[in-house]
Amino acid sequence: MSDFEYTTIEQQIQKLKKQHLIINNEKKAIQALRTYGYYNIINGYRDPYITRTYNEKIYSPDVSFEQIYSLFILDRKLRNAVMFSMTDLEEHLRAVVAEIIGESFGTKHDLYLSKTNYRDRHVRNIKFTRENILKSLTDIAESSYKEPVRYYREKHHIVPPWILLKATDFGTLINYIKIFLRPQRESLVSALYDTDSLQLNMDELKDLLSDTLSMCLEYRNLAAHGGRIYNYVPHSLIRNFNTSTTHGGLGILLKCLRFFSYSIPFSSLNNAIISALSSYCTEYPNDISRIENALGCKLEMHTLAYVNIKTKIFHSDPHCSGSTNLSKVFLDDAIAGNFVPCKRCVTKDYYS
């Protein structure tokens, strides 16, 4: 049978069984394959769990479909979190850049997009030269039918920078920043970072910003196109962190985001990663070292508890006695908050 021949979901299940993959709940496995597709789940996330011999794929002992599917769901949560974080950073960056350009060169697009306001630089791709970046922005200002660009052009005969930048994509915004002259670049660095708290000089901070934005764009595009996030190693390097003990991954992205004065992109992504990993690593603790290597960071494992704010009781079972409104916290925080263990679901081994 050709690897690319059409197979039914039932045939896919049988193929997985022949490759020694455990399927604990066939009905749920069929539903997952029907919802997301064999390629997305199996081809995308089986590699850590298989051995290949003579073009034959055999799953490692004790590996189940449910584990591979859980890794797929973990990565899906991470992808959504990355997309939210990058979109939020993009909106903040547009606002800061527009403020700097407006203050420096005014609100008339034919003046603030003058090439004398920007530096030319050597680039491999002609698309990213000063001339072509400014041409693409001028074309948007003078020809775009997107609102509110069209409204401002026709009503006020100008397109202020905060309006123009709403119509540009993240990649164009980042390449626009790269042609800023020194005063605007330094203003941008000062607006985005608490420069007094970081032990870096201005040139190092400019490098950090440039490298960080390149990495953010790479992750943003990966997430937008459904790419695998959890073990992705970006091509972008952070020059200040490029040592033998660091490597790219979500860990280094988080580190870069943490330096920004605007904290939401970091905190939202960090919290989402913690939540997603807590569920996955609790269920599959043998995967912790693999996940750590993939993410490029060390995981601190904490036991979760489920608290009832009114009764001041914490549970190990989120649905103990039919509960539906328990809040998830770290066990240490529940104990520190003087919550008492549930006599029904919490054992001494759970919190000793």
Side-chain angles (χ1 to χ4, degrees):
M1 179 184 294
S2 168
D3 288 342
F4 300 102
E5 185 173 335
Y6 170 78
T7 57
T8 66
I9 291 178
E10 289 73 18
Q11 289 172 321
Q12 293 166 6
I13 291 287
Q14 292 308 310
K15 176 183 177 181
L16 293 173
K17 286 181 177 179
K18 287 180 181 179
Q19 294 172 337
H20 301 173
L21 182 66
I22 299 168
I23 301 179
N24 294 311
N25 189 320
E26 193 167 313
K27 184 177 180 181
K28 287 187 177 180
I30 290 172
Q31 183 59 44
L33 291 170
R34 183 170 287 123
T35 302
Y36 297 110
Y38 182 96
Y39 180 86
N40 291 327
I41 299 172
I42 300 300
N43 288 34
Y45 298 91
R46 69 188 173 192
D47 282 356
Y49 309 110
I50 60 172
T51 56
R52 299 174 187 265
T53 56
Y54 303 106
N55 295 324
E56 184 180 14
K57 304 178 190 73
I58 299 296
Y59 287 88
S60 303
D62 301 324
V63 173
S64 67
F65 175 88
E66 287 75 13
Q67 184 170 3
I68 296 173
Y69 180 63
S70 292
L71 183 59
F72 164 78
I73 293 298
L74 166 67
D75 197 53
R76 190 166 176 263
K77 291 177 180 177
L78 296 180
R79 186 184 307 118
N80 291 339
V82 165
M83 195 65 195
F84 177 86
S85 176
M86 296 300 96
T87 300
D88 193 66
L89 175 63
E90 183 179 348
E91 290 180 359
H92 173 61
L93 191 61
R94 289 180 197 281
V96 174
V97 168
E99 178 74 17
I100 290 169
I101 295 301
E103 182 180 8
S104 299
F105 308 118
T107 59
K108 296 181 179 180
H109 62 270
D110 57 336
L111 296 181
Y112 69 74
L113 290 178
S114 170
K115 70 178 183 179
T116 58
N117 296 329
Y118 304 92
R119 66 189 181 112
D120 206 1
R121 61 195 188 101
H122 176 73
V123 290
R124 293 181 181 178
N125 190 334
I126 193 173
K127 179 181 177 182
F128 304 130
T129 61
R130 176 183 63 178
E131 181 180 356
N132 283 329
I133 291 171
L134 295 177
K135 182 180 183 304
S136 67
L137 291 171
T138 301
D139 287 345
I140 292 172
E142 296 181 351
S143 305
S144 175
Y145 283 89
K146 287 184 179 180
E147 299 294 355
V149 173
R150 179 182 181 181
Y151 171 81
Y152 273 79
R153 183 178 65 243
E154 295 181 354
K155 181 73 174 178
H156 302 289
H157 307 295
I158 64 168
V159 181
W162 55 89
I163 298 299
L164 175 64
L165 294 180
K166 286 177 68 68
T168 62
D169 58 44
F170 197 24
T172 300
L173 176 63
I174 290 174
N175 283 292
Y176 178 47
I177 289 169
K178 288 181 178 180
I179 62 171
F180 280 10
L181 292 172
R182 179 181 291 273
Q184 286 70 47
R185 281 188 288 157
E186 293 186 355
S187 293
L188 182 59
V189 166
S190 298
L192 294 175
Y193 295 114
D194 180 0
T195 55
D196 292 335
S197 66
L198 297 176
Q199 296 181 341
L200 297 171
N201 60 43
M202 181 55 72
D203 286 339
E204 289 171 331
L205 285 168
K206 285 187 285 188
D207 287 344
L208 174 62
L209 177 59
S210 178
D211 295 344
T212 297
L213 293 180
S214 293
M215 181 172 286
C216 287
L217 177 61
E218 196 172 339
Y219 267 103
R220 191 252 182 230
N221 290 342
L222 181 71
H225 293 92
R228 191 168 54 222
I229 295 289
Y230 86 98
N231 63 349
Y232 181 70
V233 178
H235 299 96
S236 304
L237 295 176
I238 309 298
R239 278 166 277 188
N240 294 303
F241 309 146
N242 187 21
T243 71
S244 59
T245 58
T246 61
H247 63 281
L250 279 177
I252 202 74
L253 176 65
L254 278 173
K255 186 173 182 178
C256 292
L257 292 177
R258 192 167 195 165
F259 288 128
F260 285 130
S261 299
Y262 180 58
S263 63
I264 291 179
F266 165 78
S267 61
S268 64
L269 181 57
N270 188 55
N271 292 339
I273 290 174
I274 290 172
S275 177
L277 289 177
S278 296
S279 300
Y280 182 82
C281 292
T282 299
E283 191 169 2
Y284 301 104
N286 291 336
D287 260 7
I288 290 176
S289 61
R290 181 185 292 116
I291 295 295
E292 285 179 333
N293 290 333
L295 294 176
C297 59
K298 191 74 175 173
L299 302 181
E300 278 189 28
M301 299 307 296
H302 296 272
T303 302
L304 293 176
Y306 304 87
V307 299
N308 187 314
I309 303 297
K310 292 182 179 179
T311 64
K312 297 291 286 185
I313 293 174
F314 72 82
H315 303 262
S316 62
D317 179 359
H319 305 296
C320 179
S321 302
S323 298
T324 58
N325 61 344
L326 301 181
S327 299
K328 181 167 63 174
V329 299
F330 291 136
L331 176 60
D332 293 344
D333 293 336
I335 294 172
N338 296 319
F339 286 82
V340 297
C342 171
K343 295 179 180 179
R344 181 188 296 270
C345 69
V346 176
T347 64
K348 269 194 172 181
D349 291 339
Y350 178 73
Y351 67 97
S352 59

